[in-house]
Amino acid sequence: MTVKEIFETMDYGPAPESAAEALAWLAEHSDGFGHFIDGSFTKPGAGFDSRNPANGEVLATLTQATPADVDSAVAAARAAQGKWSKLGGPGRARHLYALARLLQKHARLFAVLETLDNGKPIRESRDIDVPLAQRHFYYHAGMAQLMEKTQPGREAMGVCGQIIPWNFPLLMLSWKIAPALAMGNTVVLKPAEYTSLTALLFADICRQAGLPKGVVNIVTGDGDVGRMIVDADVDKIAFTGSTEVGRAIREATAGSGKSLTLELGGKSPYIVFEDADLDSAVEGLVDAIWFNGGQVCCAGSRLLVQEGVSEDFYRRLRRRMDGLRVGDPLDKCIDIGAIVDPVQRDSIARMVDSNTEGETYRAAATLPASGCYYPPTLITGLSPASTLMQDEIFGPVLVGTTFRTPSEAVELANNTRYGLAASVWSENINVALDMAPKLVAGVVWVNGTNMLDAAAGFGGMRESGFGREGGWEGLTAYTRPTGKPKPLSKIEAFTGDKGPEDGIDRTAKLYIGGKQARPDGGYSRGVYSKSGTLLGQVPIANRKDIRNAVEAAHGAKGWPAATAHLRAQVLYYLGENLSARAEEFAKRLDQMTGNRTGVKEVEAAVDRLFTYAAWADKLDGDVRAVPLRGVALAMREPVGVIGVLCPDEAPLLGLVSVMAPAIAMGNRVVLAASEPFPLAATDFYQVLETSDVPAGVVNILTGNHAELAPTLAAHADVNAVWSFSSTDLAATIERGAAGNLKRTWVNNGQSRDWMGEEGEGQTFLDAATEIKTVWVPYGA
Ligand code: NDP
C-alpha cells in the first residue's frame, strides 16, 4: 500500500476520554445530591434523575427544591451579603482568583462531567467551555480588584437570583456568578434540570476555595424552582434561556423593583458574500451551527449566501457536512455529540419534519444505534417568512436562502424578531465593516463566528433580551448607585376657576414630527397657578397621538446616522436659544409650580444641554483585547425610539435631562411632559423649532401619564420606555414592555434630585445606548 493510499483510506480510531474520575466523584454522591445552601450540601430529598444523553444511563439523583429550600437559600445569601460586600474589592478578588485556580486544577474533571451530563463533545467542553469559565473568573477577579477605583458611586445590588439553561451549564454559571460576586453580590443559582452536575461540582469547589458561607447557593429542580426564585425576596434576576420564559419573567417581576437582565434566543444570520474565502466560511459554519449540536443561543443558524456563489458554496458545505463525525461525546475525535435530552431531539425532529419547503440535505454521518442523536442537516431554498427561517430550532439544523445585493442581505438578516448575533464573511473590509452597524444584533463577528470572551460584552437586541454579560458593560447589571433613594409622592396639578390675568386665550398644541398638532381626541385641560388663575390650556393626548408621534420619530431616520459633531451643534444651539428666553421660562415655571426656583431651573437646563452637547462626540466606544486573533470593538449604538414619561417635579429641567442624553446619542424621543406642569414643555417646542432640531427627533405630548404609559409600553415600534413620573407606573410599563421585550428604566416610585448629580451623567448615557460588540480580525 502506498502512503497516498494509506492517507486516502485512513479512518479515525476510537480516542475515548476516560470517565473514571467523574464517575468516581458521582459515586461519592450515590445517595443523591442535595442543594448547596449556606456553605454546605443539604440532605438529598425527593427529586429526579440526571441522565447521560449519549446512552440514557442515570448519572445521579438530584433534589427538587421546595419553596422552603429556596427561602433558606435566599436567607443565607441575604445574611452573607453585607459582609461579602464590605470585604472590599481586593478581598473578593482573592476569592475569585482561588475559584479560577481551582477551576483550572480540576479542568479535566469539569470537562468530562459536563460532557457526560450534557452530551457535548469532550473536545468542546475541554477546549472551550471550561477554559472560558476559568477566564471569566480571572477577568472578574480583576474587576473586583479594581471596583473601588473604576466604579465610584456604585455598590452591589444585593442578592441575585440566577437561572441558567442546559446548553453551556458551567459557562453560563460562570457568566452569572463571576461578575455578581466581583461586585459584592451574593447569589442563588438554579442550573437547568437536565444539566446540574457541574454546578454541584462548582459548589464543592466553593467549599475548597474557602468562599464565605452563603455567598454562593445552588438549588436544583425544574422550572417551578425558577419561578420560586423569580418570586423570592431577591434584588435582581439574571436569566438565560428561551424568549418565552424570559417574557414570563419580565411580566412576573413587573413593578417589583427587581433589576432584570435577559439573555434569550436568537436566529442569527450567517452572511456569506461572493468575495468571501468560501472554504473558511464553510469551516466557520461548522463552528456556527454544529458547535454544541447547534444548541447555542447565538448559533449561526440562518445562512444567507450571495446568489452568484450559492451553488458552489452549498456543494462545498455538503461535502464538509459529510465529513462530520457524530457519536460518543467522550471520543476526542467526534465533531457532534448527543442532543441534551430526547425531549429536545424530538422537538428538533418535529420542526424539521413539519417543513414542506426547500431542499433538505442530511449529512452522510452514521449515527450511533442508541442514544440521543440528530444528524447535521441543511435546508436551503426557504422563503424568508418560513417557520424554520424565523423560529429557533436549537439543534444541528442550518436553514438558508440566497441574496443578491448587500442591502438585500441586510434586509433578510434583520427580518427576525431576534437580535443576538450575526456573522459576516467577506474578504473586502469595506463590505464587512459597512454591514456591521446595519445588522440588528448585539454581537457581530467579521470572518469568524461564536467567538466569546469575558472582556467582550455579550447580549441581545429586540426579543433576544437586554443587558450585557462580560466587559465593563456587564458590571452595570450587578451594581447600582450608592445611597438610599427617597420616595416620590404624586404631584397634583393646581385647580382653579379664575380666567387668565391678561384675558388672552393660550391653547398649546402637541408637537409631532416638527409641527404643532391638534390632539386627536380634541380635548384639552386648563393649567392653573397655585392661586387658581388659568395659565393656559394643554391638549390631552391619546393613543392615536402616541402612534403619530412614534411614526414621526421613526421617520427621522437621518438623526442616528448624523455625525456626533452635528448632534453636538444642535444641542449647543438648543442651549443658546433656551438661554435667550431664560427670563420668560423662569417666570412660567414659577407661575406653574408656585415656587421661586424658576431662574435656577432654567440655568440648570441650559447647563444640561451644554453638558450633553459636550458628551455627544465624546462617549466613544472602545476596543477590547481578547485572547484570540482579533479585537472586539465595543460600539455604542442608540437604542432607537425612546418614550419618556417626564418628571413632574422639574417641568423644564426634567424634560431636558431625559431628552438631551437621548438625542445626543442618536435616539429619537416621544416625551410625555410633566403632567401637572406641562406648559414649560409646550413653550419648549418653540425653542426646538428655532434650533435646527430635525422634524421627528423630539416629539412632545401632554396629558395623563397613567393613560399614556400603557400605549407607550405596548407599542411594538418603541424600543425603550423610561418613566420618572410621580405616578408610579413601574408595573404598567414593565408588564406592557414584555410584548417586544423593550428596554425599560423606571423610577419605582423613587425621587431623583434633578438639580444635583443624580440628574445627569453616565447612567443616562448608558440607558440611551446599547453596546454592539464587533469582532474584527487583527494581528497575528
Ligand atoms: P427554558 O427557558 O425553559 O429554561 C431555561 C431555564 O429556566 C432552566 O433552568 C429552566 O428550568 C428555567 N425555567 C423554566 N421555566 C421557568 C419559569 N417559568 N420561570 C423561571 N425559570 C424557568 O429553556 P429550555 O431549557 O426549556 O429550552 C427550551 C428552548 O429554549 C430551547 O429549545 C431553545 O430554543 C431555547 N433556549 C435558549 C437558550 C439560550 O441560551 N438563548 C438556552 C436554552 C434554551 P428547567 O431546567 O426545569 O427547564
Side-chain angles (χ1 to χ4, degrees), residues 163-167 172 190-194 221-228 230 239-246 248-249 263-266 295-298 344 347 392-394 420:
I163 301 162
I164 57 171
W166 42 258
N167 52 350
M172 288 302 107
K190 187 195 93 68
E193 199 180 346
Y194 296 150
D222 61 13
D224 283 343
V225 181
R227 261 188 291 269
M228 290 173 208
V230 168
F239 172 80
T240 298
S242 61
T243 294
E244 190 194 345
V245 174
I249 294 177
E263 200 270 273
L264 310 174
Q295 302 164 108
V296 181
C297 52
C298 53
Q344 183 65 12
S347 142
E392 201 175 23
I393 302 173
F394 230 62
L420 193 50

Side-chain angles (χ1 to χ4, degrees), residues 84-145:
W84 177 245
S85 177
K86 284 196 194 80
L87 185 58
R92 293 193 300 274
R94 286 165 190 233
H95 284 290
L96 287 160
Y97 171 67
L99 289 169
R101 293 286 292 148
L102 283 166
L103 278 170
Q104 280 182 312
K105 272 186 217 165
H106 298 289
R108 197 50 74 95
L109 176 59
F110 271 106
V112 173
L113 192 62
E114 195 78 299
T115 285
L116 285 173
D117 201 16
N118 165 282
K120 61 175 69 200
I122 183 73
R123 209 164 48 83
E124 292 179 8
S125 48
R126 182 197 61 196
D127 299 344
I128 298 171
D129 294 48
V130 175
L132 277 175
Q134 296 158 6
R135 163 97 178 118
H136 239 77
F137 277 95
Y138 271 111
Y139 182 82
H140 285 98
M143 287 303 202
Q145 182 75 24

Side-chain angles (χ1 to χ4, degrees), residues 1 29 73 85 95 184 239 267 406 427 442 466 474 628 666:
M1 205 181 226
H29 300 270
S85 177
H95 284 290
F239 172 80
K267 190 79 187 177
E427 289 299 291
F466 43 77
L628 292 160

Side-chain angles (χ1 to χ4, degrees), residues 493-494 523-528 534 536-540 674-678:
F494 297 123
Y523 290 102
S524 55
R525 75 159 180 94
V527 180
Y528 294 90
L534 183 68
Q537 299 273 345
V538 289
I540 301 175
S674 162
E675 186 179 315
F677 313 128

Side-chain angles (χ1 to χ4, degrees), residues 556-635:
K557 289 193 194 322
W559 187 249
T563 62
H565 174 60
L566 183 128
R567 293 200 295 266
Q569 286 180 71
V570 169
L571 280 154
Y572 279 126
Y573 200 20
L574 271 170
E576 181 192 328
N577 286 333
L578 178 60
S579 163
R581 295 177 56 180
E583 218 174 292
E584 173 198 336
F585 268 89
K587 189 169 158 222
R588 182 70 121 179
L589 288 168
D590 288 346
Q591 281 174 335
M592 269 195 306
T593 61
N595 298 328
R596 294 191 176 279
T597 49
V599 171
K600 255 176 82 186
E601 186 171 340
V602 179
E603 251 172 48
V606 171
D607 190 54
R608 209 137 282 175
L609 287 164
F610 270 66
T611 296
Y612 289 109
W615 271 119
D617 56 1
K618 287 168 200 69
L619 192 78
D620 302 322
D622 58 311
V623 180
R624 308 287 165 78
V626 286
L628 292 160
R629 203 188 135 264
V631 288
L633 312 176
M635 305 297 291

